[in-house]
Amino acid sequence: MLVSDSKPEERRAPRARISDVAQALGLTKATVSRALNGYPDISESTRARVRHKAAELGYSPLSHAQAIRTGRARSLGIVLQVGDQDGQRPFVADFLAGLSSAASAENWTLTVATATTEEDMLATMGRLIDERKADGFVLPRTKVADERIRMLRRLSIPFVLFGRTGDPESCAYFDILGEDAMALAVRHLHGLGHRRIGYIGGGDGFYYSAVRSAGYRAGIEAVDLPFDPAIVGGGAYTVDAGMREADRLLAADEPPTAILCATDMCALGVCRRASALGLRVGGDLSVIGYDGVPEGAWSTPPLATFEVDSRVAGLHLANLLIRRIRGENPADLRETAHARFLDRGSAARPMMSSAELREHVARATGR
Amino acid sequence: MLVSDSKPEERRAPRARISDVAQALGLTKATVSRALNGYPDISESTRARVRHKAAELGYSPLSHAQAIRTGRARSLGIVLQVGDQDGQRPFVADFLAGLSSAASAENWTLTVATATTEEDMLATMGRLIDERKADGFVLPRTKVADERIRMLRRLSIPFVLFGRTGDPESCAYFDILGEDAMALAVRHLHGLGHRRIGYIGGGDGFYYSAVRSAGYRAGIEAVDLPFDPAIVGGGAYTVDAGMREADRLLAADEPPTAILCATDMCALGVCRRASALGLRVGGDLSVIGYDGVPEGAWSTPPLATFEVDSRVAGLHLANLLIRRIRGENPADLRETAHARFLDRGSAARPMMSSAELREHVARATGR
DNA sequence: CCTCTTGCCGAAACCGGTTTCGGTGCTGAA
DNA sequence: TTCAGCACCGAAACCGGTTTCGGCAAGAGG
């Protein structure tokens, strides 16, 4: 059953095993194991000797061998949702880089799987748990009511959220404060002179949608503008949906001179539709998105947006998850950060009043 | 040392172990193991009974437990290079999806790590090998002379290339035939009426650069155009480099009316520079790229390019690698596919002659 | 001086598999 | 009839760790 097409002369030095360390010190492997794992019934002097010798021999325990007894493989799990049209994909590499480098630093590894549907995701996670391939999970794209959280809670498997959720009980998380970004965006547009600022929300059910929407609302109130449902849309995280919602908002009696979007893909759809209607984006209509997708830098004009540092997010999440797996209290494992505003051409002073805009749109749509 | 914040009433059913299967059949676990692993000294009838009972109990071996004896963990390794400005990142998610789903189908898993430099990558792979976290590797972005291949060969660790390499001896691979794409692009441009077709190559040392460059050359010869070094550039896989090379090619005595690029990022740089010079891309100057990056769809006009199906590539590579690890001959594990041409606005009939173009550029650059 | 802790470590079982070795029972040839 | 040979399976060692249990010696307390 063994494949052996190796040239015999080329053989790497065999790994040091725990018994090698034990023998070199005249101890038993039991003592070495306990010394390295911080058991209290080992004297500090022997512990130091063991540590030193282990380093000298380049010994580190084989995670499989540990896992067979402990059930833990020093591995972080993540299941990526793929196949749907959300703008999160470009960041996956950076995100994984963050996770991976933080994991490597602690001598952990990263086990990655993908799923297309929610059931698929649950099944895949179940498989990884069952096979003990992952000791805990990073959960991106959290929902207000998230089945993954329910499942992991039930099985008491550690996890950490990239985002927040409706019932944060027992949840560790790292999140970017999208509410602050949206509020800042409203203030920015207001500062530019906009008085009709519309909003288009993101995917239904996702927690980020709820917070960004709340941030818009808080921003509107902060600058003393009325909240008008006629210029507020939602459920749009694709270009097509953005175009559709743009049509709806621009058809309002008092259309917005600026539209804030919960996602860049939606914002790009708004830009495209506005251009098609003969509106100059970043003049007749201002648009701000969120995510910092690379496409935004190539649309005309470039899209103002909020950039998220996915690598840093991955770093934080991996560290949080490792600490969670080691038993720390989830309430102590919560961190947040801010997105960085990229002030680009699509957001500028209004060059049309809402009334003029309405006229223009009416003419352009032939109504 | 054990964390136990689990509610005791919620306990998942324990996994079936090999001894459960053995006991249920009145056999020893040795027999069960050999039966499931295809040893010849087990009668077909017993083998069938074992298989059936294993399925009934939902038994499958724990890969760690196997790994401790066999050294193999049923895990595919991949180390992604991050941090440099290449346009491959958007596809990472799809690529991983392909790898992951093919691996899952065989009950394998995917261990992902990242590295920033080449030494970092070699060290990371070494760590994964040493820790037996990966039984083999997928190597993307292969170079003509690839250190990773040298290392894995020396250690006789199985691997499979996404791409090809200078010395394919003992290499299994999957690759997209970039040479065919480039040749097709030349023919396409020639068919549109272009007679001065320039070319800008990709990153030095990468094998894809060599094949795409050869494809351009073959295409040029096929349509009976002269190869002119004055309108051929190279080493450009970023926007900035694309802009720089565009300047150089357009400053030629007989500038190209169409520029073919080995990468989309380079092509986008060419487009940007051309626009800055007052040239209408997809009219005064045609541009074709390669990769199918999402940014291309948002530039003005949208970039004609070749799309690569990363998910399918991942599927093939995972299957090839698994077969390689199982001992199949690398020479039998070589597959190729074609990129799909996306005919978009940046490539069109020439609206200026080379001479006119030269005049225009001279005026625009003030020379 | 004797017992009782306490600190520290060794012996051995254990985790869940794989693999070596040896021993049946049966068949076929001498 | 006997014995070699083969097909098939059990017993036990093994992989590289962790954990339980118990034992020894030194120090504390009476």
Side-chain angles (χ1 to χ4, degrees):
Chain A
M1 280 285 103
L2 259 180
V3 186
S4 139
D5 49 4
S6 57
K7 308 186 186 72
E9 70 271 16
E10 293 277 21
R11 228 58 201 117
R12 54 185 179 280
R15 258 183 93 87
R17 293 154 303 183
I18 193 171
S19 54
D20 297 329
V21 178
Q23 200 167 1
L25 290 170
L27 297 172
T28 60
K29 47 183 199 162
T31 305
V32 173
S33 172
R34 279 176 305 196
L36 293 175
N37 289 329
Y39 277 63
D41 62 345
I42 300 290
S43 75
E44 275 311 316
S45 64
T46 23
R47 194 189 306 282
R49 281 173 60 220
V50 169
R51 282 223 188 87
H52 185 263
K53 182 60 79 178
E56 183 185 325
L57 298 179
Y59 167 76
S60 74
L62 224 43
S63 65
H64 314 114
Q66 297 182 296
I68 189 181
R69 188 76 220 254
T70 64
R72 302 230 219 97
R74 287 209 314 272
S75 166
L76 307 181
I78 181 167
V79 182
L80 299 171
Q81 177 125 17
V82 293
D84 58 350
Q85 301 273 12
D86 63 81
Q88 288 215 357
R89 275 175 289 170
F91 314 116
V92 166
D94 292 326
F95 185 54
L96 291 178
L99 288 173
S100 163
S101 54
S104 296
E106 301 275 345
N107 224 313
W108 288 55
T109 51
L110 190 62
T111 296
V112 176
T114 55
T116 53
T117 66
E118 182 162 348
E119 304 87 69
D120 189 12
M121 164 142 346
L122 292 174
T124 303
M125 288 178 49
R127 213 173 57 81
L128 291 176
I129 294 168
D130 203 48
E131 293 239 339
R132 290 167 178 64
K133 295 280 194 174
D135 304 327
F137 288 89
V138 175
L139 304 184
R141 308 185 77 235
T142 51
K143 297 191 172 181
V144 176
D146 202 300
E147 280 302 318
R148 299 171 298 178
I149 296 177
R150 289 171 50 85
M151 168 173 157
L152 293 176
R153 266 192 192 136
R154 186 165 45 80
L155 300 174
S156 34
I157 302 282
F159 60 91
V160 55
L161 313 180
F162 186 10
R164 283 161 286 172
T165 188
D167 171 21
E169 167 75 19
S170 86
C171 288
Y173 61 76
F174 173 86
D175 200 10
I176 311 285
L177 296 172
E179 58 270 46
D180 289 3
M182 291 294 121
L184 186 148
V186 171
R187 282 205 307 278
H188 180 74
L189 290 168
H190 186 265
L192 288 171
H194 292 274
R195 292 300 175 266
R196 288 293 284 172
I197 303 175
Y199 176 78
I200 304 177
D204 292 327
F206 291 105
Y207 202 78
Y208 79 83
S209 286
V211 283
R212 292 180 200 172
S213 175
Y216 162 73
R217 206 147 172 169
I220 287 290
E221 286 170 14
V223 297
D224 254 349
L225 288 178
F227 178 82
D228 181 356
I231 56 171
V232 171
Y237 53 93
T238 63
V239 172
D240 285 346
M243 294 176 67
R244 195 185 58 230
E245 289 296 292
D247 270 335
R248 207 174 64 73
L249 266 62
L250 290 173
D253 284 341
E254 205 180 333
T257 60
I259 297 181
L260 179 58
C261 298
T263 72
D264 273 356
M265 294 318 280
C266 170
L268 287 171
V270 171
C271 290
R272 177 168 285 180
R273 188 69 190 121
S275 297
L277 290 174
L279 295 171
R280 289 164 308 173
V281 173
D284 304 336
L285 180 71
S286 284
V287 178
I288 296 183
Y290 183 105
D291 278 336
V293 301
E295 289 93 322
W298 290 93
S299 73
T300 312
L303 181 65
T305 183
F306 288 87
E307 188 184 40
V308 171
D309 192 331
S310 300
R311 210 184 75 86
V312 167
L315 285 173
H316 283 253
L317 286 164
N319 283 321
L320 290 172
L321 179 52
I322 289 175
R323 290 167 59 190
R324 178 76 193 94
I325 292 171
R326 288 186 175 149
E328 287 190 42
N329 194 315
D332 302 332
L333 300 172
R334 292 174 181 169
E335 297 176 359
T336 56
H338 282 91
R340 196 164 68 90
F341 182 51
L342 297 183
D343 191 5
R344 295 195 288 211
S346 71
R349 332 188 71 84
M351 299 189 57
M352 271 192 191
S353 70
S354 176
E356 289 167 340
L357 200 59
R358 183 187 170 196
E359 287 300 311
H360 184 107
V361 171
R363 257 197 316 277
T365 56
R367 288 268 323 114
Chain B
M1 281 286 101
L2 258 179
V3 186
S4 138
D5 49 4
S6 57
K7 307 187 187 71
E9 71 271 17
E10 293 278 20
R11 231 55 201 118
R12 52 187 180 280
R15 260 183 92 86
R17 293 155 303 182
I18 193 172
S19 55
D20 297 331
V21 179
Q23 199 167 1
L25 290 170
L27 296 171
T28 60
K29 47 182 199 162
T31 306
V32 173
S33 172
R34 280 176 303 199
L36 292 176
N37 289 331
Y39 276 63
D41 62 343
I42 300 291
S43 75
E44 276 310 316
S45 64
T46 329
R47 196 189 303 283
R49 282 173 58 221
V50 169
R51 281 223 188 88
H52 185 261
K53 182 58 82 177
E56 183 184 326
L57 298 179
Y59 168 76
S60 74
L62 224 42
S63 64
H64 315 113
Q66 296 183 296
I68 190 181
R69 188 77 220 253
T70 63
R72 303 232 218 95
R74 288 209 313 273
S75 167
L76 307 181
I78 181 169
V79 182
L80 300 171
Q81 177 126 14
V82 293
D84 59 349
Q85 301 273 15
D86 64 82
Q88 288 213 359
R89 274 176 290 170
F91 315 115
V92 166
D94 291 326
F95 184 53
L96 291 178
L99 288 173
S100 162
S101 54
S104 295
E106 300 276 345
N107 223 314
W108 288 54
T109 50
L110 190 61
T111 296
V112 176
T114 55
T116 52
T117 65
E118 183 163 347
E119 303 89 68
D120 190 13
M121 164 144 342
L122 292 175
T124 303
M125 287 177 49
R127 215 174 57 79
L128 291 176
I129 293 167
D130 201 50
E131 293 239 339
R132 290 167 176 64
K133 295 281 194 173
D135 303 328
F137 288 88
V138 175
L139 304 184
R141 310 184 75 236
T142 50
K143 297 190 173 182
V144 176
D146 203 300
E147 280 303 318
R148 299 171 298 179
I149 296 177
R150 289 171 49 85
M151 168 171 156
L152 293 175
R153 265 191 193 136
R154 185 166 46 81
L155 299 174
S156 37
I157 303 281
F159 61 90
V160 56
L161 313 180
F162 185 12
R164 282 161 287 172
T165 189
D167 170 23
E169 166 75 20
S170 87
C171 288
Y173 61 76
F174 175 85
D175 200 11
I176 311 285
L177 296 172
E179 58 269 46
D180 288 3
M182 291 294 121
L184 187 148
V186 171
R187 283 204 306 277
H188 181 74
L189 290 168
H190 186 266
L192 288 171
H194 293 274
R195 292 300 175 265
R196 287 293 284 171
I197 302 176
Y199 176 78
I200 305 178
D204 291 327
F206 291 106
Y207 203 78
Y208 78 84
S209 286
V211 280
R212 291 181 202 171
S213 175
Y216 162 72
R217 206 149 172 167
I220 287 290
E221 286 171 13
V223 297
D224 254 348
L225 289 177
F227 178 81
D228 181 356
I231 57 171
V232 171
Y237 53 93
T238 63
V239 173
D240 285 345
M243 294 175 67
R244 194 185 57 230
E245 289 296 292
D247 270 335
R248 205 173 67 73
L249 266 63
L250 290 174
D253 283 341
E254 206 180 333
T257 60
I259 298 181
L260 179 58
C261 298
T263 72
D264 273 356
M265 294 318 279
C266 171
L268 287 171
V270 171
C271 291
R272 176 167 286 179
R273 188 71 192 117
S275 297
L277 291 174
L279 296 171
R280 288 164 307 173
V281 173
D284 305 334
L285 180 72
S286 282
V287 179
I288 295 184
Y290 183 105
D291 278 337
V293 301
E295 289 93 322
W298 290 94
S299 73
T300 312
L303 179 67
T305 184
F306 289 86
E307 188 185 41
V308 170
D309 193 331
S310 301
R311 209 184 76 86
V312 168
L315 285 172
H316 283 252
L317 286 164
N319 283 321
L320 289 173
L321 179 53
I322 290 175
R323 289 168 59 191
R324 179 75 193 95
I325 293 172
R326 288 184 175 150
E328 286 190 40
N329 194 316
D332 302 333
L333 300 173
R334 293 174 181 170
E335 297 177 359
T336 56
H338 283 93
R340 196 164 68 90
F341 182 51
L342 298 183
D343 191 4
R344 295 194 289 212
S346 71
R349 333 187 72 84
M351 300 188 56
M352 272 191 191
S353 70
S354 176
E356 290 167 339
L357 199 57
R358 182 186 171 195
E359 288 298 312
H360 183 107
V361 171
R363 255 198 316 277
T365 56
R367 290 264 326 112

